[in-house]
Amino acid sequence: MSARLAGIEIHASDPDALVAFYTKALGWSFEPKAFGDVPYWQIVTADGLPTGRLIKRYGDGPQAGAAVMGAVMSALVDDIDAACTAASEAGAVPAMEKFPIPGEGWQAYFQDPDHNVFGLFQADPGAGS
């Protein structure tokens, strides 16, 4: 068996604030939905397909500068420098500056306003050479 990734889930202490952040930083749109009486926001990315959901966090959130405790999603971008600027202007804090992954592309990591770590990735086979 080989499982394929079905989507991402972003936990938010203040869902409305993170919906606004990811809309500004990555250009995503969000559709309000619910599991019974539990609200969530369906994430729709550039390809127009649902990619995952943003839900209210129940319990303590991550602390600024803490180690990653789980999986980290990375968004595929066309221009990592422009995406890093947009993320910063939207309120993200750099967690790891842009660096090459030789033969693959460029990667950078940020913390969103709720301290969730996310990555930006630009494909570039010439990166690091």
Side-chain angles (χ1 to χ4, degrees):
M1 178 180 96
S2 178
R4 196 168 99 187
L5 184 63
I8 63 169
E9 189 171 273
I10 300 171
H11 293 245
S13 300
D14 181 350
D16 291 330
L18 280 193
V19 164
F21 168 77
Y22 282 106
T23 298
K24 183 175 180 184
L26 299 179
W28 292 351
S29 61
F30 293 82
E31 298 174 3
K33 306 270 185 178
F35 295 123
D37 62 349
V38 178
Y40 72 94
W41 293 258
Q42 186 78 51
I43 301 168
V44 180
T45 60
D47 58 11
L49 299 173
T51 304
R53 65 191 134 286
L54 186 141
I55 64 171
K56 177 147 182 56
R57 181 186 314 282
Y58 295 95
D60 295 335
Q63 300 301 309
V68 174
M69 298 296 290
V72 175
M73 67 93 182
S74 287
L76 181 63
V77 298
D78 293 329
D79 180 340
I80 196 163
D81 294 323
C84 287
T85 298
S88 293
E89 288 176 352
V93 175
M96 184 176 238
E97 299 292 334
K98 178 182 88 170
F99 62 93
I101 300 174
E104 294 184 31
W106 297 94
Q107 181 77 45
Y109 293 100
F110 287 85
Q111 284 190 335
D112 70 18
D114 208 15
H115 308 298
N116 297 307
V117 175
F118 70 96
L120 299 172
F121 178 79
Q122 177 187 329
D124 178 2
S129 56

